[in-house]
Amino acid sequence: MSVLVPTLQHLRGDYRRATLDRLIALATASTALVILCLTDLVTGPSGMSLAEVWSALRAGPWGEDLVASTILWQLRMPQTVMGVLVGSCLGLAGLQMQTILSNPLASPFTLGFSAAAGFGAALAMMFGGLIPLPTFVVVPASAFLMTLIACALVYFVALLRGSTPEILVLAGIAVLFFFQSMQSLLQFLASPEVLQQIVFWLFGSLLKASWTSVTVIATIFALCVPLVIRDSWNLTLLRLGDVNASSLGLSVDALRKRSFLLVALLTAGAVSFVGTIGFVGLIAPHVARAAVGEDHRFALPLSAVIGAVILIGASVFGKFISPAAVIPVGIITAVAGVPMLFVVIARRGSGDIS
C-alpha cells in the first residue's frame, strides 16, 4: 500500500501536467486565431489604415463614417467570420474522419463530398435560371443538397455491406469519381461565361461571404458541435482499435454512422457557400494530435481552431501577396497543403503516426 499511494499521486500529477499542457496549446492556438482575425480585418484592397479600422470597429455597424462601416462590417467582417466557421467545420470533420476510418490521410473530401458539392454548384449555374429564385440562393442550396445525396449514397452502401473503414473508403472513392466525372461533363457543356463562374466557384473563395451565409453555417456548426463533443470519449476509445473498443462496450458501427453523418453536415455547410477548399481537413487534425495527443476532448476543439487558423492565415497571406486582387483561399491552401502533406507522409513512413 505504501508503494501504491505514491504511484497514484505520481499519475495524478502527470495527468494534471498533461491537461495543463493541452489547455495551454488550445489557448495558444486561440490567441493566434484572434491575432490573425484582426490582421485579416485590417488588410484589404481598400487601403484603410489601422486607426480607421479600429475606429469603425468601435463605432459598430452603424457608425458615423458610412464608408468605413460598410467596408468593415459588410465586406471584411463576414469574410473573416466565414473563414473561422469554414475552417472550424473542416478541421472538426477532418479529425472525425481520420478517427472513424483509422486513416491518417483521410479528410472530409475522401468520401466525395467536395466533388458532389462542386457538381451541385455547376448544375445550378447552368440550369438555375429555370428556378424562380436568386442565384445566390440556388447555388449553395444545390451544392448542399448534392453533398447530402453523396452522403446518402455512401451511407446506403454502408448499410448493405457494413460500416467498416474499408467499405466507407471504397464507397467514398466511387462517389468521388462519379461526381468528378459529372462535374467535368458540365464544364465541357457549359458556355464560356458559365464555365468561368464554375471554375471560380471551384477555386474556393471567401469573397462570396455575407451575413446570411454566415448565419446558415453558424447554425449548422452550433447544431453539430454538441453532438461531436458528446462522442469525444467514444472517438478516443475507437483509437484503440475496433476489437478493443467493442470489448469495452462501444457500439463501433453506430459511432461510425453518427460521425459520418456529422462529417457530411459540417462539410456540406462549409463548402456550399465558399466552394472547394482542400487540405484544411487533412492537416489540422495532425497538428492537433501532435499538440495534445489522442484525447479527443482536447483534440476536437484544437483541430477546429487550427482549421480556422489555417484558413484565416491563407486569407491574410493572399491579401499580402496580391492586395489589389485577393487570391482565393482555396488556391493558397492547396499550394501550401502539398508540402504539409509530404511531411505527413514522411512521418507516416517513419511510424510516428498511427
Side-chain angles (χ1 to χ4, degrees):
M1 177 66 79
S2 60
V3 177
L4 182 60
V5 173
T7 301
L8 291 175
Q9 292 175 345
H10 179 70
L11 290 175
R12 289 195 190 99
D14 289 344
Y15 179 77
R16 291 193 189 99
R17 283 191 293 272
T19 301
L20 180 61
D21 290 342
R22 290 163 179 166
L23 290 174
I24 290 174
L26 186 57
T28 301
S30 301
T31 303
L33 177 59
V34 171
I35 294 173
L36 283 171
C37 287
L38 293 176
T39 306
D40 192 51
L41 291 174
V42 170
T43 55
S46 65
M48 289 175 62
S49 65
L50 177 60
E52 290 175 323
V53 171
W54 178 246
S55 176
L57 191 62
R58 289 195 308 168
W62 298 278
E64 295 181 0
D65 190 340
L66 295 180
V67 174
S69 296
T70 300
I71 292 174
L72 181 65
W73 289 96
Q74 301 302 323
L75 298 177
R76 292 187 184 180
M77 189 71 76
Q79 294 175 21
T80 300
V81 177
M82 177 70 82
V84 172
L85 289 171
V86 170
S88 298
C89 286
L90 294 177
L92 202 60
L95 181 57
Q96 290 182 87
M97 185 61 65
Q98 291 179 9
T99 300
I100 65 176
L101 295 181
S102 301
N103 188 338
L105 300 180
S107 74
F109 305 101
T110 302
L111 300 185
F113 297 156
S114 175
F119 171 71
L123 196 66
M125 291 174 191
M126 287 190 66
F127 305 107
L130 302 176
I131 301 175
L133 289 173
T135 303
F136 67 86
V137 173
V138 176
V139 172
S142 179
F144 191 90
L145 178 61
M146 282 299 166
T147 306
L148 296 185
I149 290 175
C151 164
L153 290 174
V154 178
Y155 191 78
F156 179 71
V157 173
L159 289 177
L160 292 179
R161 305 296 299 173
S163 56
T164 63
E166 294 80 8
I167 293 296
L168 288 173
V169 170
L170 289 175
I173 291 174
V175 170
L176 170 67
F177 281 108
F178 171 74
F179 281 109
Q180 277 186 341
S181 62
M182 297 301 294
Q183 184 185 119
S184 299
L185 176 62
L186 289 181
Q187 288 178 319
F188 178 77
L189 297 175
S191 65
E193 295 79 10
V194 175
L195 178 60
Q196 185 178 16
Q197 296 177 29
I198 294 173
V199 170
F200 183 78
W201 192 93
L202 293 175
F203 281 160
S205 174
L206 298 176
L207 296 176
K208 315 176 188 72
S210 66
W211 285 118
T212 301
S213 58
V214 165
T215 302
V216 173
I217 296 183
T219 302
I220 294 173
F221 185 73
L223 291 175
C224 290
V225 164
L227 301 177
V228 174
I229 297 301
R230 186 188 65 178
D231 277 330
S232 58
W233 270 118
N234 293 332
L235 291 169
T236 304
L237 187 59
L238 188 61
R239 294 294 292 172
L240 299 175
D242 288 12
V243 175
N244 291 329
S246 298
S247 67
L248 293 173
L250 177 65
S251 177
V252 174
D253 283 350
L255 175 63
R256 279 206 176 95
K257 290 172 181 176
R258 284 199 307 273
S259 299
F260 169 73
L261 293 175
L262 290 173
V263 167
L265 285 173
L266 289 169
T267 306
V271 303
S272 59
F273 287 99
V274 301
T276 303
I277 296 178
F279 286 103
V280 175
L282 174 63
I283 303 302
H286 288 290
V287 177
R289 281 199 177 102
V292 300
E294 295 293 346
D295 190 340
H296 281 59
R297 294 176 304 164
F298 300 95
L300 285 168
L302 184 58
S303 184
V305 174
I306 294 297
V309 166
I310 293 174
L311 202 53
I312 296 298
S315 176
V316 171
F317 184 72
K319 292 178 181 179
F320 274 132
I321 63 177
S322 179
V326 180
I327 299 176
V329 291
I331 297 176
I332 297 174
T333 57
V335 173
V338 172
M340 294 181 184
L341 180 58
F342 278 123
V343 171
V344 170
I345 294 173
R347 293 188 63 195
R348 174 65 174 175
S350 63
D352 292 336
I353 300 176
S354 59

